[in-house]
Amino acid sequence: FAPHNAGGVGVFDPKSDSFTLVDISTVISGPWKFNGAATVGDGRVVLAPYFADGVGVFDPKSDSFMFVDISGTINTDYKFAGAATADDGRVVFAPYNAGGVGVFDPSNDSFTFVPMSSSYNFYGATYVRGRRSGDGRVVFTPFSANGMGVFDPTNDSFTLVDISTVVSGPYKFNGAATVGDGKVVFAPYQADGVG
């Protein structure tokens, strides 16, 4: 589990129904550190920076934590909210206040920032897969944005799909999941229904 206010990474073992907290306070402390997590091919878990000035990388094999500094790339709070692993193995972060998409490459532990033409608030990310539309794009959950964010990792492009005729208002949805047929489901926050 990504530590938001906790002093460590939460690890749940479903085999024994046990929970442990791996302390990371010697590396990073303070409130609202990370928001969202995604696993990568080598088994590590990548944590999306929210207030943190870096990407968190947790290795459950060794219970070790690494911090990849991104302060030279983006300097704002409420950076990203949500993470999803794309086909190419990179982790894509949903922009909350960042003004662009964050992309972490676990093959060399590097971070790149893809600016957007406008600033949108999203709260969640999911990789699109399945029979219906498994095209490898990452979809961002509309929070206060008037559309879904769609990021194509094949060319690092961003598109906003307008949903204002279907649902309006602030704080629409929080979180996303891709189901078996490729549809993306958004959990309602203040919206009157499931997206």
Side-chain angles (χ1 to χ4, degrees):
F1 300 102
H4 195 66
N5 285 327
V9 175
V11 180
F12 175 73
D13 186 342
K15 293 177 186 171
S16 61
D17 283 345
S18 62
F19 179 83
T20 57
L21 185 69
V22 179
D23 185 20
I24 63 168
S25 62
T26 59
V27 179
I28 182 172
S29 61
W32 305 333
K33 294 177 276 300
F34 303 100
N35 193 334
T39 56
V40 294
D42 61 9
R44 295 182 299 164
V45 179
V46 176
L47 311 174
Y50 195 58
F51 265 49
D53 288 325
V55 175
V57 182
F58 179 73
D59 188 340
K61 295 174 194 160
S62 61
D63 283 347
S64 61
F65 178 80
M66 178 178 73
F67 188 76
V68 178
D69 189 337
I70 64 168
S71 61
T73 307
I74 179 170
N75 289 309
T76 187
D77 290 332
Y78 310 101
K79 295 170 191 63
F80 305 103
T85 304
D87 270 341
D88 62 8
R90 296 182 301 161
V91 177
V92 179
F93 301 132
Y96 184 78
N97 195 40
V101 178
V103 182
F104 181 77
D105 188 341
S107 69
N108 58 10
D109 295 332
S110 65
F111 176 83
T112 55
F113 183 70
V114 180
M116 298 182 305
S117 59
S118 296
S119 190
Y120 305 103
N121 297 118
F122 303 102
Y123 218 93
T126 188
Y127 165 76
V128 180
R129 59 186 163 285
R131 294 187 315 267
R132 183 179 172 102
S133 59
D135 58 8
R137 293 181 293 171
V138 175
V139 175
F140 303 140
T141 306
F143 189 64
S144 61
N146 287 324
M148 301 175 302
V150 180
F151 183 76
D152 187 343
T154 61
N155 58 12
D156 287 353
S157 64
F158 172 84
T159 306
L160 184 73
V161 178
D162 184 25
I163 63 168
S164 61
T165 59
V166 179
V167 62
S168 62
Y171 319 128
K172 297 168 197 60
F173 303 100
N174 186 340
T178 305
V179 294
D181 67 358
K183 291 180 183 175
V184 174
V185 178
F186 300 120
Y189 190 72
Q190 287 186 357
D192 291 331
V194 174

